[in-house]
Amino acid sequence: MNEIKIFCPASVANVSCGFDVLGFCLDQVGDEMIIRKTDKKGIHILKIEGQDLPLETHKNVAGVAALALLEEHEAPCGFEIEIYKKIKAGSGIGSSAASSAGAVFGINELLGRPFTNKELIKFAMKGEELASGSAHADNVSPVLLGGFTLVRSAKQADVIALPSPSELYATVLHPKIELKTSDARAVLKKNILLEKAIEQWGNLAALVSGLYSEDYELIGRSLVDVVIEPHRSALIPGFKNLKEAAIQNGALGSGISGSGPSIFALSKGENTAQIVGKSMSKEFKSLDIDFEIHISKINPKGIHIISSK
Ligand code: HSE
């Protein structure tokens, strides 16, 4: 195999109560990348379509993640990368994660898989670090493993794949404005009150339990964020009304997708997810900001090969 074309899905991180530790993978929404072997050693980003991003290897998240992999595994060749971006940078649905994970996944496949997808997480995190100044793994993990994932320790790249109830659907409203993760992290407080921490870890543990037991009511009750959302919601136009619209129209819960500005809701069943999408669209139209809506099953597969030669 000399060349590979891959699908690099979008993802929703945090999922309300799981700041920096919880995430899930979306279906259909995502980038494509082509990676091929070349005689010229190193990583060469030849082309990026759909976004104005740097081609220099050291300045590009895909380049930095790929270099981290090659530092640990010497390759007999170099690699050329082409990136076809569909996920906008600063959208809150894992644009940098898709590119970082894509680079290491593609190279790993072309090298005959010296690493498992789980082992690739630590390399992909280097791309996240470049993009946001923080090496979080809550987007790259669901991209590489599919479904829901829980990061027990980002430092140790210790990640657990969680089950996704079969009828769980996500609705994501993406306002077409950019919110940099670094800016959305800058508004956060370094310390939190113990009583808030207790509420947050109660909800996180209950949400994980709800995923295992397919208890949709429990999932809904647990989609609460008392730590991050109060600070970040001010950065997102119309957030409060959108969340209310989603819940009033049958969503189990709703919150900020990653660092925003996208907003997600989870629902039981595709039909409800569609109704929730319509109600969120209706609410957001009054703001005069362009947006798009994605309705998606939780994607169990994650990143995958489209074709190879
Ligand atoms: N957990 C990260 C944050 C995700 O919320 O800052 C960024 O996409």
Side-chain angles (χ1 to χ4, degrees), residues 57-62 64 125-135:
T57 308
H58 284 91
K59 292 186 184 165
N60 185 291
V61 298
V64 167
M125 278 167 61
K126 294 286 177 194
E128 291 291 63
E129 193 170 15
L130 176 72
S132 70
S134 115

Side-chain angles (χ1 to χ4, degrees), residues 2-28:
N2 284 312
E3 182 179 308
I4 188 170
K5 186 175 181 184
I6 53 179
F7 177 69
C8 314
S11 52
V12 171
N14 300 338
V15 203
S16 294
C17 49
F19 178 68
D20 271 5
V21 300
L22 201 59
F24 64 80
C25 188
L26 293 171
D27 232 354
Q28 285 159 14

Side-chain angles (χ1 to χ4, degrees), residues 13-14 19-20 136 138-139 181 185 232 258-259:
N14 300 338
F19 178 68
D20 271 5
H136 51 269
D138 50 343
N139 282 109
T181 297
R185 292 182 87 85
R232 280 187 171 168
S259 55

